Amino acid sequence: MSTVTEMPMPEIRRGRKFEQVLEGARHIFMRDGFEGASVDDIAREAGVSKATIYAYFPDKRLLFTEICTSECHRQAELAEADIDPDLSARDLLGFLGHRIAEFMMSDFGRDLFRLMVGEVARFPELARTFHAHGPGLVRERLVTRLRALTERGELRIEDFDLASDQFVQLCKALIHDRLLLGLVEDISPADIERSVNGALEMFMARYGTNPGAA
């Protein structure tokens, strides 16, 4: 059985208008999707020439990938910078749960998920890249925190990847599908609190070493 070998993407080149190009491209991609986004429209939105775009990003896939990965990593670094390592398991997971929910509710977060669902059949390599630098990055960072809490004796976990995925999915219980399908325009703070608190109760009941504690 033969396999399809994907051509490697060329390297990014940076310059003075790099961030300007990213900002313009982000707007066009979120509005028109990956396939529908034209370089002409991106150049117009960014206020640069097409030659400038091609100088930085020889391939449109490279531009889209950079937008996804840079924003996901930026959000992860912001969350990491605000974490107090001395927080209890419940407080730390509550903080992370709210950050997960807030990213999903952001315009970028919800538009990106919708875009990826629409494009995955035609551009599976983009979906794989998004997963590695989006959900995959969340799992990687969360696993590190769960290991530390287990070593401290506050959690009892054997399969860290599974526990991480379970926590993320629990935090999205009242949010993700309704936003992704456009069933609601917004999620209330009360809904976020309810979803994250419910996730904490279930997660700590399963993995906490003292599940009856307040």
Side-chain angles (χ1 to χ4, degrees):
M1 182 175 64
S2 62
T3 58
V4 176
T5 302
E6 294 179 5
M7 295 295 292
M9 287 192 286
E11 293 184 358
I12 293 174
R13 304 179 184 90
R14 297 178 180 269
R16 182 170 56 86
K17 297 183 178 180
F18 185 84
E19 294 297 332
Q20 191 174 328
V21 169
L22 284 185
E23 188 60 33
R26 182 194 319 239
H27 176 79
I28 299 300
F29 280 129
M30 296 303 120
R31 187 190 72 186
D32 299 339
F34 176 77
E35 187 173 34
S38 73
V39 177
D40 284 325
D41 285 344
I42 292 172
R44 189 176 305 112
E45 181 70 21
V48 301
S49 68
K50 288 173 64 175
T52 296
I53 294 177
Y54 284 124
Y56 297 159
F57 300 98
D59 188 299
K60 190 169 78 168
R61 293 175 302 162
L62 197 64
L63 176 53
F64 181 77
T65 298
E66 177 65 16
I67 290 170
C68 293
T69 58
S70 62
E71 181 62 20
C72 289
H73 280 268
R74 187 181 74 85
Q75 292 290 337
E77 294 304 322
L78 286 174
E80 287 285 331
D82 289 340
I83 289 177
D84 179 352
D86 295 325
L87 288 176
S88 68
R90 182 179 290 272
D91 289 341
L92 177 57
L93 291 172
F95 169 81
L96 294 174
H98 278 89
R99 283 302 180 96
I100 291 168
E102 288 166 6
F103 177 74
M104 289 174 43
M105 285 182 53
S106 68
D107 290 340
F108 179 81
R110 71 177 74 181
D111 289 346
L112 182 58
F113 272 98
R114 288 172 181 163
L115 189 155
M116 294 312 307
V117 169
E119 303 286 8
V120 62
R122 288 173 292 185
F123 306 102
E125 73 280 6
L126 294 179
R128 287 193 290 273
T129 298
F130 162 71
H131 187 272
H133 294 276
L137 180 63
V138 171
R139 174 198 275 184
E140 176 186 312
R141 300 292 178 91
L142 184 53
V143 162
T144 298
R145 296 295 172 180
L146 295 179
R147 286 187 186 278
L149 292 170
T150 299
E151 290 170 1
R152 275 166 43 178
E154 296 187 55
L155 300 177
R156 186 183 295 110
I157 299 175
E158 294 181 359
D159 189 334
F160 289 96
D161 286 343
L162 175 61
S164 173
D165 289 348
Q166 287 172 333
F167 181 71
V168 171
Q169 293 302 319
L170 286 170
C171 288
K172 301 192 302 185
L174 290 174
I175 301 171
H176 187 255
D177 289 350
R178 289 193 289 165
L179 283 177
L180 191 64
L181 297 174
L183 301 180
V184 294
E185 288 298 320
D186 206 354
I187 300 293
S188 71
D191 283 336
I192 295 176
E193 198 69 22
R194 182 181 169 205
S195 188
V196 173
N197 286 342
L200 280 171
E201 292 302 320
M202 292 190 69
F203 193 84
M204 295 302 293
R206 170 63 180 86
Y207 294 111
T209 54
N210 188 15

